[in-house]
Amino acid sequence: MKRKFLASPYIVWMMIFIVVPMLMIVYYAFTQDGSFSVENMVRAFGELPMTALWRSLYMAFISTVICIILGYPAAMCLCSKNLKRKSLILVLYMVPMWMNFLLRTYAWAVILERTGIINTFLASVGLPPQKLLYTDGAVILGMVYNFLPFMIMPIHSSLSKIDPMLIEAAEDLGANRARVFTRVTLPLSFPGIVSGITMVFMPAASTFAISQLMGNNTQQLFGEMVEQQFRTLYNYNYGSALSLVLLALMLLSMAIMRKFDKNGEGAALL
Amino acid sequence: MNKKIALVLVLVLVLPALLGLTACGSKKPVLHVYNWEDYIDPAVIDMFEEEYGVTVKYSAFTTNEDMFALLQSGATSYDVIFPSDYIIERMIAEDLIAEIDYSLLPNFEHIAPEFASGVGYDPEAKYSVPYMWGTVGILYNTTMVSEPITSWEVLWDPQYDDNILMLDSIRDSLGITLKYLGYSLNSRDAAELEEAKLALIDQKEYVLSYVVDQGKDKMVRGEAAMAVVWSGDAAYAMAQNPDLDYVIPEEGSNIWVDAMVIPANSENQELAHAFIDFMCRPDIAQMNAEYIGYSSPNATAVANMDSAISGDERFYPSPEVIANCEYFHDLGDDLDMYNEMWSEIKSGATGN
């Protein structure tokens, strides 16, 4: 009873800033000039937005896979008993997140530019300049860089909860290190991976700022389409219909996460 | 340790509140001004405060769209705003701005007649007072472009493959393409727009990137041979890098004006008029124009300027060049057609 009372400020906050705006999106998505219409929803599933959506999902998928490949070993490192100065390394993971992500992305653009640090170095050793920025690869780099901590943290938290005695038991019973990993560590850290995936995949799929700063912008991402509807075209109805598609995807991915994540690990992080 | 942090937090939270209170305590009238980021000589504000014994609360926006959204929400009470032409047209249509009493503006006579007599966005000259103006053109790096640029056609020249920066802005990019093809940049003709769309799709393989704010800085750093920019940004970039030059292509271009308006819900319209009049005073207009480097519509101020500035055809083009340029108009529902074209341009698989 007392606990519920403590949650009430957040519940009020959530109602005003999360639930009400979502209802407004639904309202706008299904109306046109104030009356009910499915026209915008039909348009949101048309060829153009779907092309952009697939492109967004594809880029987000690659970024997520890279984040797992980079993030899982990093999280294991952070959990290892032999690691000295663990808190310092954790702080180093967190520090970039305290800086505005637009600034960090701008910095990447300056590093990768034709006249940037890398190409200046290449030129000084006599190598031809490379086109590093203005490519899909640069956009994926930007996504991985910005979202990697969101992959490492949940994996780290689920790894650190594994009872070391389970691993010792497996070793005592004759499992080699690879087998301990595949049969004990990996399955037990699965909830962390799943919540990491949802926390990386959806922001990556809906981003517009990273691609605007690092890509060549000749092909739109879904997030850019949504942004454009609201900021330059004032088409709140179509913009909301597009957002609703993303929102539905997000709820779907959260439902999938729930299924895997029975310990409520990700829920605590979200 | 924790106590110290708590103390710091308390100070951080309480101090601004206290400062806020002292500001409210003064009895001077307050004028709320809402202008573009870095778009005024700060000394001008101090001078106005001193001469009129008032306090100016100055805030800044970065895009017309942000400003418009905030104003439309009705949650603000600014007294003077500095929007661009096409958004003024929209604000007039939505009754967001008040008519200006020009009898309160003795210095309005200094505004050049071609700007004072009402242009496209405010045809009867009832709602706005021009502040700065400019064009859209090509900013190019003379070390990377050998021939003289005269036409928009250069943006389709394979020689500059991967060396062209376009504006990531629907109206501007489609607008200059329409101009290149010999049409109006306010065209509502589906066939003309289709032609512009195909031209932009063809162009994609040569474009290094579509950019907005980053374009001018990239040009300063020598990232690309040329970029489509607003003349004000061109002046800024050229001051930073002497290799850069700016041209208004011969097919004509967009001409734009940022003007001062008084929102309908302003609580201090009299002082707002005084501020606008102050901005029209030739010495003040000259200070602002020289500080921000944009072109001033104030004829007296321009006449007083160094002829190296006022005689520069790139930023004070001849009347013939201006006559060849068009203002953007608010397209209303036809903007959807532009939007659809833009999505098609950006969804194609071509490009590099």
Side-chain angles (χ1 to χ4, degrees):
Chain A
M1 188 61 204
K2 214 173 178 183
R3 278 191 174 173
K4 270 188 186 165
F5 168 73
L6 286 172
S8 59
Y10 180 66
I11 290 173
V12 171
W13 174 273
M14 203 170 72
M15 290 305 278
I16 298 175
F17 294 109
I18 301 174
V19 178
V20 172
M22 287 216 279
L23 292 175
M24 284 167 74
I25 288 176
V26 175
Y27 170 79
Y28 274 120
F30 284 102
T31 51
Q32 182 70 46
D33 304 322
S35 57
F36 176 80
S37 155
V38 290
E39 184 193 322
N40 288 303
M41 284 311 292
V42 172
R43 211 175 135 195
F45 283 99
E47 195 196 328
L48 290 178
M50 284 299 118
T51 315
L53 183 62
W54 280 120
R55 199 173 125 73
S56 287
L57 294 179
Y58 171 73
M59 306 268 280
F61 174 76
I62 295 181
S63 308
T64 310
V65 170
I66 297 176
C67 278
I68 295 175
I69 294 171
L70 291 178
Y72 199 96
M76 279 183 79
C77 256
L78 277 176
C79 286
S80 96
K81 268 177 285 178
N82 305 328
L83 189 69
K84 287 174 190 164
R85 303 184 192 282
K86 189 185 279 185
S87 53
L88 177 72
I89 292 175
L90 263 175
V91 166
L92 287 178
Y93 270 111
M94 297 299 292
V95 163
M97 291 172 71
W98 294 337
M99 277 177 266
N100 183 291
F101 97 100
L102 278 178
L103 279 181
R104 285 183 279 132
T105 311
Y106 261 112
W108 265 116
V110 174
I111 292 170
L112 297 177
E113 267 181 353
R114 281 186 195 173
T115 50
I117 295 166
I118 294 178
N119 274 322
T120 312
F121 172 74
L122 287 180
S124 71
V125 294
L127 291 167
Q130 300 295 312
K131 186 172 166 181
L132 302 168
L133 200 65
Y134 320 111
T135 58
D136 285 355
V139 177
I140 288 170
L141 173 72
M143 288 179 180
V144 170
Y145 173 72
N146 277 303
F147 302 131
L148 187 58
F150 297 101
M151 181 63 82
I152 295 176
M153 288 304 155
I155 296 179
H156 170 253
S157 94
S158 69
L159 281 175
S160 60
K161 276 189 201 156
I162 297 176
D163 189 340
M165 288 202 290
L166 288 174
I167 292 166
E168 281 165 27
E171 283 167 350
D172 286 348
L173 293 170
N176 61 20
R177 291 181 75 176
R179 206 168 156 82
V180 171
F181 177 75
T182 52
R183 300 297 293 272
V184 181
T185 316
L186 188 63
L188 285 174
S189 62
F190 203 58
I193 300 177
V194 173
S195 65
I197 290 173
T198 39
M199 287 173 73
V200 170
F201 187 75
M202 284 320 292
S206 57
T207 184
F208 55 86
I210 295 173
S211 56
Q212 279 172 356
L213 289 175
M214 301 192 62
N216 73 355
N217 294 310
T218 53
Q219 282 168 283
Q220 257 179 340
L221 291 178
F222 200 73
E224 293 174 55
M225 274 190 110
V226 175
E227 189 222 5
Q228 197 178 51
Q229 297 308 318
F230 284 97
R231 287 197 57 194
T232 58
L233 297 162
Y234 313 109
N235 195 338
Y236 287 19
N237 302 96
Y238 182 42
S240 298
L242 292 171
S243 310
L244 203 58
V245 173
L246 261 189
L247 201 63
L249 265 177
M250 195 169 76
L251 292 175
L252 188 74
S253 73
M254 280 175 76
I256 295 172
M257 186 187 86
R258 271 265 170 102
K259 224 171 144 76
F260 286 108
D261 184 12
K262 294 186 181 94
N263 302 331
E265 189 109 358
L269 273 156
L270 283 174
Chain B
M1 185 65 190
N2 276 335
K3 269 188 186 167
K4 267 187 191 167
I5 294 174
L7 188 68
V8 168
L9 274 177
V10 166
L11 284 176
V12 163
L13 291 171
V14 169
L15 274 180
L18 286 177
L19 291 173
L21 283 177
T22 52
C24 291
S26 69
K27 292 189 185 70
K28 284 181 184 175
V30 177
L31 182 77
H32 295 268
V33 176
Y34 199 30
N35 194 355
W36 293 83
E37 201 74 60
D38 209 13
Y39 208 38
I40 197 166
D41 184 344
V44 163
I45 297 178
D46 296 339
M47 287 166 71
F48 181 76
E49 284 183 328
E50 197 155 312
E51 278 184 39
Y52 286 78
V54 297
T55 306
V56 173
K57 287 242 172 172
Y58 189 84
S59 15
F61 56 89
T62 46
T63 69
N64 276 308
E65 284 68 29
D66 290 346
M67 178 279 300
F68 183 76
L70 194 65
L71 193 70
Q72 211 178 20
S73 74
T76 57
S77 59
Y78 293 109
D79 301 305
V80 180
I81 308 183
F82 292 63
S84 306
D85 41 36
Y86 69 99
I87 211 92
I88 293 177
E89 197 172 352
R90 203 179 171 93
M91 289 162 89
I92 295 172
E94 303 212 359
D95 286 328
L96 288 170
I97 45 183
E99 286 191 24
I100 285 184
D101 182 352
Y102 290 89
S103 69
L104 297 174
L105 307 177
N107 283 313
F108 187 70
E109 63 178 26
H110 297 293
I111 302 291
E114 63 264 36
F115 295 108
S117 59
V119 273
Y121 58 93
D122 182 9
E124 293 165 62
K126 283 161 73 179
Y127 296 94
S128 61
V129 175
Y131 177 63
M132 293 288 160
W133 68 280
T135 53
V136 173
I138 299 173
L139 176 70
Y140 62 99
N141 191 319
T142 49
T143 63
M144 296 155 100
V145 179
S146 45
E147 68 213 297
I149 294 183
T150 54
S151 161
W152 292 115
E153 197 176 359
V154 74
L155 298 173
W156 278 264
D157 187 340
Q159 194 185 331
Y160 300 110
D161 182 19
D162 258 1
N163 245 332
I164 295 167
L165 293 172
M166 285 292 285
L167 270 175
D168 199 6
S169 154
I170 302 180
R171 287 300 302 272
D172 292 291
S173 283
L174 276 165
I176 60 148
T177 311
L178 286 163
K179 272 294 188 191
Y180 165 54
L181 297 169
Y183 306 125
S184 160
L185 47 72
N186 293 304
S187 172
R188 295 167 184 243
D189 181 313
E192 291 176 7
L193 279 166
E194 182 71 21
E195 208 178 317
K197 179 191 92 181
L198 292 175
L200 282 171
I201 290 176
D202 282 346
Q203 187 210 21
K204 266 167 63 173
E205 60 179 305
Y206 310 130
V207 173
L208 179 62
S209 180
Y210 279 90
V211 292
V212 190
D213 299 332
Q214 318 98 295
K216 57 178 185 288
D217 292 316
K218 283 189 190 293
M219 288 304 292
V220 169
R221 294 195 292 266
E223 269 294 287
M226 63 189 73
V228 176
V229 297
W230 293 285
S231 56
D233 284 350
Y236 161 89
M238 284 158 64
Q240 313 264 323
N241 182 344
D243 292 335
L244 299 179
D245 203 353
Y246 176 76
V247 64
I248 305 166
E250 64 195 5
E251 295 95 342
S253 182
N254 165 234
I255 178 172
W256 49 264
V257 168
D258 291 331
M260 296 172 277
V261 302
I262 301 176
N265 66 353
S266 157
E267 284 160 8
N268 206 340
Q269 304 218 355
E270 203 177 319
L271 195 55
H273 278 89
F275 183 79
I276 292 176
D277 187 53
F278 191 73
M279 290 292 136
C280 293
R281 224 173 74 183
D283 59 322
I284 300 296
Q286 188 178 349
M287 278 175 74
N288 282 328
E290 288 178 356
Y291 179 84
I292 57 183
Y294 278 47
S295 314
S296 174
N298 192 305
T300 317
V302 174
N304 289 340
M305 279 178 202
D306 192 310
S307 61
I309 301 174
S310 57
D312 189 336
E313 287 258 321
R314 295 169 299 189
F315 300 110
Y316 289 97
S318 66
E320 298 82 60
V321 173
I322 295 180
N324 211 3
C325 290
E326 281 180 275
Y327 287 94
F328 279 129
H329 288 298
D330 185 30
L331 292 169
D333 290 344
D334 283 334
L335 193 58
D336 264 352
M337 194 155 63
Y338 276 68
N339 171 33
E340 206 61 15
M341 297 279 171
W342 190 248
S343 297
E344 284 173 40
I345 291 164
K346 288 229 180 174
S347 74
T350 45
N352 38 14

